[in-house]
Amino acid sequence: MIYLKLCMVFFSILFASCSAVHKVKVTNELNKNDTLLNHLSYLSSDQLQGRKFGTIGSTLAQDYIIKQLKELNVQPLNSSYLAPFTINGFFKDTVANNIVAFIKGSEFPDQYILLSAHYDHLGKKGSKVFNGADDNASGTSALLYFGKLLKQKPLRYSVILLFTDAEEANLKGAKAFVTNQADLLSSIKLNVNVDMIAGSKSTKYLRYISRGLPQLLNSADIEAFAEVDEDSILKQGFRQQNRRENKNINWNLASDHGVFFKLNIPFIYYGVGTHNNYHQTSDTFENINHEFFSQATNIIYQQLRFIDQKL
Ligand SMILES: [Zn+2]
């Protein structure tokens, strides 16, 4: 009997340390994560001129994202990483480009969790560059980082990495994706959209909203999902008001997840909400909250793995 008890103690310690090891490894890696911050630093640099669709800065961003994906050996979803679409302008049409990559799932290769983040921003006005460090070089960097971790340890479900263009032009990239990939839509279980997760120096909380989770998880798992928050920075829901513009925000439609929401595809949207640097030239690498960004990226990753296990 005592021998059995000793075995049980031994195995429970072993089991606890295994999952703790993976969690700690991810956290340590994220904490010392030059990669994540290097992505953000380059994507929000003046060189990329605020990454407005159809500009040289946008092309530089595309080249960078594709180079990273190739280095990680993450394949394109289709024959090319680039998925071009046309934006009709008043004077001329502009070609914009989504970037779409794929990581095969270990159990359900034909069903997808779609991770999305827009890489475009406002560009330049006169000589002023809107660097868009938080909006949305942060989400783009996190998606690249998830690509790295998921390539090392794939989920049960296949993952589509969707880097959208022209989100700042009324979600045109996400709309082009659902039009051009209509055949895939019925196999998309969940959209996880990441937009503005680095905040400003005073940011304390990573906020999220979701729609359709009860279609995917039982109530106990939904509760457990909300508790995957080792840094206690997660908050459900966003402040309604955009104080600067003094208007209410419909967060269901505030970023690319809105396109999937309208198609009744369940989504989770992560962001910090609006802040003083929102859509200002002050949204720079220096003004984001570096540590918060790493913690936020870590929690989104942990919740992603949790959901993948429970779906
Ligand atoms: Zn944004």
PDB file of all heavy atoms in Angstrom, residues 193-208:
ATOM      1  N   ASN A 193      -8.663  36.640 -33.773  1.00  0.00           N
ATOM      2  CA  ASN A 193      -8.151  37.875 -34.368  1.00  0.00           C
ATOM      3  C   ASN A 193      -7.388  38.682 -33.326  1.00  0.00           C
ATOM      4  O   ASN A 193      -7.878  38.886 -32.212  1.00  0.00           O
ATOM      5  CB  ASN A 193      -9.307  38.714 -34.935  1.00  0.00           C
ATOM      6  CG  ASN A 193      -8.806  39.937 -35.689  1.00  0.00           C
ATOM      7  OD1 ASN A 193      -7.838  39.851 -36.438  1.00  0.00           O
ATOM      8  ND2 ASN A 193      -9.440  41.073 -35.452  1.00  0.00           N
ATOM      9  N   VAL A 194      -6.190  39.109 -33.693  1.00  0.00           N
ATOM     10  CA  VAL A 194      -5.300  39.813 -32.760  1.00  0.00           C
ATOM     11  C   VAL A 194      -5.018  41.188 -33.327  1.00  0.00           C
ATOM     12  O   VAL A 194      -4.406  41.299 -34.395  1.00  0.00           O
ATOM     13  CB  VAL A 194      -3.980  39.015 -32.574  1.00  0.00           C
ATOM     14  CG1 VAL A 194      -3.075  39.687 -31.553  1.00  0.00           C
ATOM     15  CG2 VAL A 194      -4.266  37.583 -32.167  1.00  0.00           C
ATOM     16  N   ASP A 195      -5.493  42.223 -32.663  1.00  0.00           N
ATOM     17  CA  ASP A 195      -5.306  43.584 -33.167  1.00  0.00           C
ATOM     18  C   ASP A 195      -5.067  44.537 -32.005  1.00  0.00           C
ATOM     19  O   ASP A 195      -5.972  44.802 -31.221  1.00  0.00           O
ATOM     20  CB  ASP A 195      -6.555  44.017 -33.967  1.00  0.00           C
ATOM     21  CG  ASP A 195      -6.347  45.308 -34.750  1.00  0.00           C
ATOM     22  OD1 ASP A 195      -5.302  45.948 -34.555  1.00  0.00           O
ATOM     23  OD2 ASP A 195      -7.244  45.682 -35.526  1.00  0.00           O
ATOM     24  N   MET A 196      -3.873  45.023 -31.861  1.00  0.00           N
ATOM     25  CA  MET A 196      -3.426  45.953 -30.826  1.00  0.00           C
ATOM     26  C   MET A 196      -3.286  45.254 -29.480  1.00  0.00           C
ATOM     27  O   MET A 196      -4.160  45.343 -28.626  1.00  0.00           O
ATOM     28  CB  MET A 196      -4.379  47.140 -30.692  1.00  0.00           C
ATOM     29  CG  MET A 196      -4.457  48.012 -31.922  1.00  0.00           C
ATOM     30  SD  MET A 196      -5.679  49.336 -31.798  1.00  0.00           S
ATOM     31  CE  MET A 196      -5.140  50.263 -30.371  1.00  0.00           C
ATOM     32  N   ILE A 197      -2.161  44.546 -29.293  1.00  0.00           N
ATOM     33  CA  ILE A 197      -1.948  43.842 -28.026  1.00  0.00           C
ATOM     34  C   ILE A 197      -0.673  44.316 -27.323  1.00  0.00           C
ATOM     35  O   ILE A 197      -0.171  43.644 -26.413  1.00  0.00           O
ATOM     36  CB  ILE A 197      -1.906  42.317 -28.225  1.00  0.00           C
ATOM     37  CG1 ILE A 197      -0.770  41.907 -29.170  1.00  0.00           C
ATOM     38  CG2 ILE A 197      -3.237  41.755 -28.694  1.00  0.00           C
ATOM     39  CD1 ILE A 197      -0.408  40.459 -29.082  1.00  0.00           C
ATOM     40  N   ALA A 198      -0.145  45.461 -27.723  1.00  0.00           N
ATOM     41  CA  ALA A 198       1.043  45.984 -27.033  1.00  0.00           C
ATOM     42  C   ALA A 198       0.701  47.239 -26.243  1.00  0.00           C
ATOM     43  O   ALA A 198       1.415  47.608 -25.320  1.00  0.00           O
ATOM     44  CB  ALA A 198       2.145  46.270 -28.050  1.00  0.00           C
ATOM     45  N   GLY A 199      -0.401  47.892 -26.636  1.00  0.00           N
ATOM     46  CA  GLY A 199      -0.900  49.029 -25.881  1.00  0.00           C
ATOM     47  C   GLY A 199       0.033  50.216 -25.840  1.00  0.00           C
ATOM     48  O   GLY A 199       0.837  50.437 -26.741  1.00  0.00           O
ATOM     49  N   SER A 200      -0.073  50.995 -24.751  1.00  0.00           N
ATOM     50  CA  SER A 200       0.805  52.140 -24.503  1.00  0.00           C
ATOM     51  C   SER A 200       1.463  51.885 -23.142  1.00  0.00           C
ATOM     52  O   SER A 200       1.191  50.874 -22.503  1.00  0.00           O
ATOM     53  CB  SER A 200      -0.032  53.424 -24.445  1.00  0.00           C
ATOM     54  OG  SER A 200      -0.871  53.377 -23.297  1.00  0.00           O
ATOM     55  N   LYS A 201       2.297  52.800 -22.702  1.00  0.00           N
ATOM     56  CA  LYS A 201       3.026  52.562 -21.440  1.00  0.00           C
ATOM     57  C   LYS A 201       2.078  52.293 -20.273  1.00  0.00           C
ATOM     58  O   LYS A 201       2.393  51.546 -19.352  1.00  0.00           O
ATOM     59  CB  LYS A 201       3.907  53.767 -21.111  1.00  0.00           C
ATOM     60  CG  LYS A 201       5.099  53.945 -22.050  1.00  0.00           C
ATOM     61  CD  LYS A 201       6.088  52.800 -21.961  1.00  0.00           C
ATOM     62  CE  LYS A 201       7.263  53.010 -22.883  1.00  0.00           C
ATOM     63  NZ  LYS A 201       7.955  51.738 -23.197  1.00  0.00           N
ATOM     64  N   SER A 202       0.880  52.889 -20.329  1.00  0.00           N
ATOM     65  CA  SER A 202      -0.030  52.758 -19.169  1.00  0.00           C
ATOM     66  C   SER A 202      -0.996  51.586 -19.289  1.00  0.00           C
ATOM     67  O   SER A 202      -1.832  51.359 -18.424  1.00  0.00           O
ATOM     68  CB  SER A 202      -0.841  54.056 -19.023  1.00  0.00           C
ATOM     69  OG  SER A 202      -1.572  54.262 -20.219  1.00  0.00           O
ATOM     70  N   THR A 203      -0.885  50.808 -20.354  1.00  0.00           N
ATOM     71  CA  THR A 203      -1.816  49.684 -20.554  1.00  0.00           C
ATOM     72  C   THR A 203      -1.614  48.601 -19.503  1.00  0.00           C
ATOM     73  O   THR A 203      -0.490  48.224 -19.217  1.00  0.00           O
ATOM     74  CB  THR A 203      -1.616  49.080 -21.951  1.00  0.00           C
ATOM     75  OG1 THR A 203      -1.905  50.074 -22.935  1.00  0.00           O
ATOM     76  CG2 THR A 203      -2.524  47.876 -22.174  1.00  0.00           C
ATOM     77  N   LYS A 204      -2.734  48.133 -18.930  1.00  0.00           N
ATOM     78  CA  LYS A 204      -2.646  47.093 -17.903  1.00  0.00           C
ATOM     79  C   LYS A 204      -3.369  45.813 -18.308  1.00  0.00           C
ATOM     80  O   LYS A 204      -3.035  44.731 -17.837  1.00  0.00           O
ATOM     81  CB  LYS A 204      -3.271  47.595 -16.595  1.00  0.00           C
ATOM     82  CG  LYS A 204      -2.472  48.677 -15.898  1.00  0.00           C
ATOM     83  CD  LYS A 204      -3.066  48.948 -14.517  1.00  0.00           C
ATOM     84  CE  LYS A 204      -2.339  50.111 -13.847  1.00  0.00           C
ATOM     85  NZ  LYS A 204      -2.402  51.366 -14.681  1.00  0.00           N
ATOM     86  N   TYR A 205      -4.381  45.935 -19.147  1.00  0.00           N
ATOM     87  CA  TYR A 205      -5.215  44.767 -19.423  1.00  0.00           C
ATOM     88  C   TYR A 205      -5.267  44.385 -20.892  1.00  0.00           C
ATOM     89  O   TYR A 205      -5.342  45.248 -21.763  1.00  0.00           O
ATOM     90  CB  TYR A 205      -6.646  45.014 -18.934  1.00  0.00           C
ATOM     91  CG  TYR A 205      -6.724  45.198 -17.449  1.00  0.00           C
ATOM     92  CD1 TYR A 205      -7.026  46.437 -16.892  1.00  0.00           C
ATOM     93  CD2 TYR A 205      -6.431  44.142 -16.594  1.00  0.00           C
ATOM     94  CE1 TYR A 205      -7.061  46.615 -15.518  1.00  0.00           C
ATOM     95  CE2 TYR A 205      -6.463  44.296 -15.215  1.00  0.00           C
ATOM     96  CZ  TYR A 205      -6.771  45.542 -14.683  1.00  0.00           C
ATOM     97  OH  TYR A 205      -6.785  45.708 -13.326  1.00  0.00           O
ATOM     98  N   LEU A 206      -5.219  43.084 -21.118  1.00  0.00           N
ATOM     99  CA  LEU A 206      -5.495  42.511 -22.438  1.00  0.00           C
ATOM    100  C   LEU A 206      -6.971  42.159 -22.438  1.00  0.00           C
ATOM    101  O   LEU A 206      -7.423  41.389 -21.593  1.00  0.00           O
ATOM    102  CB  LEU A 206      -4.670  41.252 -22.688  1.00  0.00           C
ATOM    103  CG  LEU A 206      -4.999  40.490 -23.968  1.00  0.00           C
ATOM    104  CD1 LEU A 206      -4.625  41.285 -25.206  1.00  0.00           C
ATOM    105  CD2 LEU A 206      -4.307  39.124 -23.980  1.00  0.00           C
ATOM    106  N   ARG A 207      -7.704  42.754 -23.368  1.00  0.00           N
ATOM    107  CA  ARG A 207      -9.157  42.532 -23.380  1.00  0.00           C
ATOM    108  C   ARG A 207      -9.530  41.561 -24.506  1.00  0.00           C
ATOM    109  O   ARG A 207      -8.795  41.427 -25.477  1.00  0.00           O
ATOM    110  CB  ARG A 207      -9.884  43.863 -23.564  1.00  0.00           C
ATOM    111  CG  ARG A 207      -9.638  44.818 -22.391  1.00  0.00           C
ATOM    112  CD  ARG A 207     -10.230  46.198 -22.604  1.00  0.00           C
ATOM    113  NE  ARG A 207      -9.975  47.023 -21.433  1.00  0.00           N
ATOM    114  CZ  ARG A 207     -10.761  47.040 -20.357  1.00  0.00           C
ATOM    115  NH1 ARG A 207     -11.837  46.283 -20.318  1.00  0.00           N
ATOM    116  NH2 ARG A 207     -10.496  47.809 -19.325  1.00  0.00           N
ATOM    117  N   TYR A 208     -10.626  40.878 -24.303  1.00  0.00           N
ATOM    118  CA  TYR A 208     -11.100  40.013 -25.384  1.00  0.00           C
ATOM    119  C   TYR A 208     -12.607  39.934 -25.354  1.00  0.00           C
ATOM    120  O   TYR A 208     -13.244  40.124 -24.307  1.00  0.00           O
ATOM    121  CB  TYR A 208     -10.498  38.611 -25.290  1.00  0.00           C
ATOM    122  CG  TYR A 208     -11.091  37.726 -24.229  1.00  0.00           C
ATOM    123  CD1 TYR A 208     -12.072  36.788 -24.549  1.00  0.00           C
ATOM    124  CD2 TYR A 208     -10.681  37.826 -22.907  1.00  0.00           C
ATOM    125  CE1 TYR A 208     -12.615  35.965 -23.580  1.00  0.00           C
ATOM    126  CE2 TYR A 208     -11.221  37.019 -21.924  1.00  0.00           C
ATOM    127  CZ  TYR A 208     -12.184  36.081 -22.268  1.00  0.00           C
ATOM    128  OH  TYR A 208     -12.721  35.280 -21.271  1.00  0.00           O
TER     129      TYR A 208
END
